[in-house]
Amino acid sequence: MKTYQDFKQCTDRAAFLLEAISEHRASVMYHIARDAEEYDRQRNVSILSYQKLLYTMSGKAVPDNYSANHKMASNFFNRFVNQQASYLLGNGMTLEKAENKARLGRDFDTKLYQAARSALVQGVCFGFWNYDHLEMFKLTEFVPLYDEETGALQAGIRFWQVDKNKPLRATLYEQDGYTDYKQHEKELREENGKRTYVELVHRSAADGEQVEPWRNYPGFPMIPLYGNPHHQSELVGLRENIDAYDLIKSGFANDLDDVSHIYWIMKNTGGMDEQDIAKFLNRINKTRVVDFPDGDDGAVAEPHTVDVPHDAREAALERLKNDMYEDFQAFNVSTLMGGQKTATEIDAAYTPLDLKTDQFEYCVLDFLYGLFRIVGIEDNPTFKRNKIQNMNEQTQMVMLAAAYLDDETIIGKLPWLTPEEVQQVLARKDAENLDRFNSNGLPMTETAGG
């Protein structure tokens, strides 16, 4: 693993970049992140590479190309990640000052959600503040260069290659600017030199276009967003359960496929060779009639089927499913089925997900505060969690306390309004209150004289 100190000591930057990218691709965290991305796309790496084997008399293993080999991948990982990311960020981020949110760009909530989701899948995602909007780089395309003393991210290398026969491209990000590189044969070459992160362009009829280099950001504009305090993919510890579930489910389908046909027990047919048996089966498939050639007196053909044991497998699948929900601390909506649930019952069902999302929220807040320092924003972000609620009961509670609360608190506590809708409703109420007064500042139902 290359560090920031290794980078500062190198004499050939292009060679260092190639070596750092190669080491990163060979690292354990890269392989875990790559596999996690496959599981997130419902491509179970373990089950897709599984091959049924047969063993010869000498003990040699050979591929089994005769029996069924279904490979069915479940979608648990994608579901769990979507649930956690949407639970925290499904309603976006709210700041105390609307103008601060506007400075982050129109698509900031979308980018933040994508970055958070990538952090859950791969363990970490890197957010890059690009002048007026946020960009995100996955661990599978970014080499972080951490400081050996403080552990802080001091530099990084983004790399990409659209195809194996296309040149590798890379961008080196440092505190004071970035440098683009492109591979020519086996050599990586610098292009256009180092550039500052922001350049001001002045255009006028007299002077034409002039580019004025601007100062860099007050800090490194690349901020890591971790998916959990362990800085590892959420797939770690869950993968074995998913593999076991998919293996049992696929094996059950294979057994059903293998025994789906009727097999026959032939009696008193010693004179029939393989060709006669093939003709016999072909005649049955065509005519559905059992008929033996002349001379096979007393010949009997008994059809049989096999019932595949399924109770134990169904129990194992249900146990694995419940274990995955418990281990991931995910919300299982089936626990709320049947009858109208009270707010207390719903809150109790959400407790595991709340505990898990709490620690994820701290990671998101650390990322946002680091981003705010770069942008120059002083504000406190908040989130409204996207959860099932007994809205009738919640609304009744708010209305019962309405006599003791102001309008902003009442409207803000209504469960069926989003934070944006709350602000819109308050603005419209303020406008209505202004309309009720005339130009003299008195209610329109009164006159200036009385």
Side-chain angles (χ1 to χ4, degrees), residues 201-440:
V201 179
H202 301 280
R203 295 183 178 90
S204 65
D207 301 326
E209 182 177 292
Q210 293 182 338
V211 179
E212 176 185 346
W214 195 59
R215 58 179 173 83
N216 284 298
Y217 298 110
F220 189 41
M222 194 77 65
I223 307 101
L225 169 58
Y226 297 103
N228 51 62
H230 304 296
H231 300 180
Q232 65 183 15
S233 169
E234 291 291 335
L235 184 65
V236 175
L238 187 69
R239 178 174 182 170
E240 291 75 14
N241 279 13
I242 295 177
D243 291 345
Y245 187 95
D246 292 349
L247 184 62
I248 293 174
K249 185 172 68 172
S250 300
F252 191 22
N254 291 333
D255 290 344
L256 288 174
D257 195 356
D258 288 336
V259 302
S260 61
H261 301 288
I262 297 174
Y263 70 92
W264 298 83
I265 294 180
M266 314 291 288
K267 297 181 179 179
N268 301 324
T269 58
M272 295 178 64
D273 55 18
E274 290 187 4
Q275 186 175 2
D276 294 330
I277 294 174
K279 291 179 179 179
F280 168 76
L281 293 176
N282 186 48
R283 183 177 179 82
I284 290 178
N285 292 330
K286 286 183 177 180
T287 65
R288 305 299 178 185
V289 175
V290 176
D291 185 21
F292 289 98
D294 295 337
D296 285 340
D297 296 334
V300 177
E302 298 179 354
H304 291 267
T305 59
V306 176
D307 293 330
V308 179
H310 68 279
D311 291 342
R313 301 188 189 192
E314 291 290 348
L317 290 175
E318 188 65 22
R319 175 64 180 272
L320 286 169
K321 178 181 177 181
N322 292 335
D323 286 349
M324 283 189 282
Y325 270 98
E326 290 184 5
D327 292 344
F328 197 87
Q329 296 177 256
F331 172 72
N332 190 350
V333 70
S334 62
T335 60
L336 297 180
M337 294 298 182
Q340 185 175 5
K341 300 298 181 180
T342 65
T344 302
E345 290 175 306
I346 296 174
D347 289 341
Y350 270 101
T351 298
L353 181 59
D354 277 322
L355 294 174
K356 185 176 181 64
T357 307
D358 285 343
Q359 69 174 10
F360 179 50
E361 184 174 345
Y362 289 125
C363 296
V364 174
L365 289 174
D366 285 342
F367 169 79
L368 290 174
Y369 289 137
L371 177 65
F372 290 173
R373 285 192 293 270
I374 300 298
V375 183
I377 289 177
E378 289 287 341
D379 214 319
N380 295 309
T382 55
F383 310 95
K384 182 178 181 180
R385 298 192 176 180
N386 194 18
K387 66 189 300 184
I388 299 173
Q389 299 184 41
N390 187 328
M391 294 190 180
N392 185 41
E393 182 178 349
Q394 295 281 357
T395 302
Q396 289 177 357
M397 292 173 59
V398 175
M399 293 298 100
L400 288 174
Y404 308 98
L405 303 173
D406 58 89
D407 287 349
E408 184 173 355
T409 303
I410 294 171
I411 296 173
K413 290 295 183 181
L414 293 176
W416 33 270
L417 289 177
T418 65
E420 290 77 11
E421 290 173 334
V422 169
Q423 298 302 321
Q424 293 170 6
V425 171
L426 290 173
R428 286 196 294 268
K429 286 183 69 67
D430 290 340
E432 291 174 1
N433 291 334
L434 290 175
D435 290 341
R436 291 166 54 190
F437 290 85
N438 59 17
S439 58
N440 294 324

Side-chain angles (χ1 to χ4, degrees), residues 184-222:
H184 298 268
E185 296 181 351
K186 295 184 178 181
E187 182 182 1
L188 202 63
R189 298 178 186 174
E190 180 180 316
E191 293 189 335
N192 303 322
K194 181 184 288 188
R195 302 176 62 181
T196 56
Y197 289 109
V198 179
E199 292 179 343
L200 298 180
V201 179
H202 301 280
R203 295 183 178 90
S204 65
D207 301 326
E209 182 177 292
Q210 293 182 338
V211 179
E212 176 185 346
W214 195 59
R215 58 179 173 83
N216 284 298
Y217 298 110
F220 189 41
M222 194 77 65

Side-chain angles (χ1 to χ4, degrees), residues 2-254:
K2 298 297 184 184
T3 65
Y4 182 65
Q5 279 74 12
D6 295 330
F7 167 69
K8 297 299 290 183
Q9 295 173 5
C10 74
T11 55
D12 187 344
R13 289 194 169 190
F16 175 85
L17 263 60
L18 281 177
E19 188 176 354
I21 293 171
S22 178
E23 285 189 12
H24 181 69
R25 283 174 166 171
S27 65
V28 174
M29 61 180 182
Y30 178 88
H31 285 280
I32 293 177
R34 187 184 60 184
D35 287 350
E37 197 167 48
E38 292 297 302
Y39 276 80
D40 183 48
R41 295 175 179 175
Q42 203 175 350
R43 294 202 289 257
N44 185 324
V45 176
S46 300
I47 196 69
L48 291 178
S49 61
Y50 176 75
Q51 175 64 55
K52 298 177 71 173
L53 300 175
L54 294 175
Y55 292 90
T56 63
M57 295 295 293
S58 62
K60 182 181 179 181
V62 295
D64 181 3
N65 297 320
Y66 302 97
S67 60
N69 192 18
H70 297 290
K71 299 178 179 181
M72 296 182 291
S74 60
N75 202 29
F76 284 107
F77 187 57
N78 176 276
R79 183 190 309 171
F80 292 160
V81 169
N82 284 342
Q83 183 182 106
Q84 186 173 346
S86 297
Y87 186 55
L88 179 64
L89 300 170
N91 291 317
M93 178 195 70
T94 303
L95 294 179
E96 296 173 352
K97 301 176 181 178
E99 59 271 20
N100 286 337
K101 182 70 176 292
R103 291 178 60 187
L104 297 173
R106 295 181 59 184
D107 63 344
F108 179 78
D109 284 333
T110 301
K111 293 295 185 181
L112 180 60
Y113 177 85
Q114 293 173 347
R117 202 182 176 288
S118 180
L120 291 171
V121 172
Q122 299 190 353
V124 62
C125 180
F126 301 91
F128 171 56
W129 180 248
N130 192 358
Y131 182 59
D132 60 355
H133 65 280
L134 180 67
E135 296 182 11
M136 50 158 286
F137 301 145
K138 299 179 180 180
L139 181 62
T140 49
E141 62 178 345
F142 188 81
V143 183
L145 298 176
Y146 296 106
D147 191 293
E148 297 175 8
E149 302 297 332
T150 64
L153 183 65
Q154 298 289 350
I157 309 161
R158 189 203 175 196
F159 62 93
W160 68 98
Q161 190 173 9
V162 296
D163 195 80
K164 291 183 178 180
N165 60 352
K166 300 298 181 182
L168 172 71
R169 293 179 176 271
T171 302
L172 172 64
Y173 294 92
E174 302 177 71
Q175 298 280 345
D176 57 348
Y178 66 96
T179 310
D180 291 325
Y181 291 83
K182 182 178 179 181
Q183 189 175 29
H184 298 268
E185 296 181 351
K186 295 184 178 181
E187 182 182 1
L188 202 63
R189 298 178 186 174
E190 180 180 316
E191 293 189 335
N192 303 322
K194 181 184 288 188
R195 302 176 62 181
T196 56
Y197 289 109
V198 179
E199 292 179 343
L200 298 180
V201 179
H202 301 280
R203 295 183 178 90
S204 65
D207 301 326
E209 182 177 292
Q210 293 182 338
V211 179
E212 176 185 346
W214 195 59
R215 58 179 173 83
N216 284 298
Y217 298 110
F220 189 41
M222 194 77 65
I223 307 101
L225 169 58
Y226 297 103
N228 51 62
H230 304 296
H231 300 180
Q232 65 183 15
S233 169
E234 291 291 335
L235 184 65
V236 175
L238 187 69
R239 178 174 182 170
E240 291 75 14
N241 279 13
I242 295 177
D243 291 345
Y245 187 95
D246 292 349
L247 184 62
I248 293 174
K249 185 172 68 172
S250 300
F252 191 22
N254 291 333

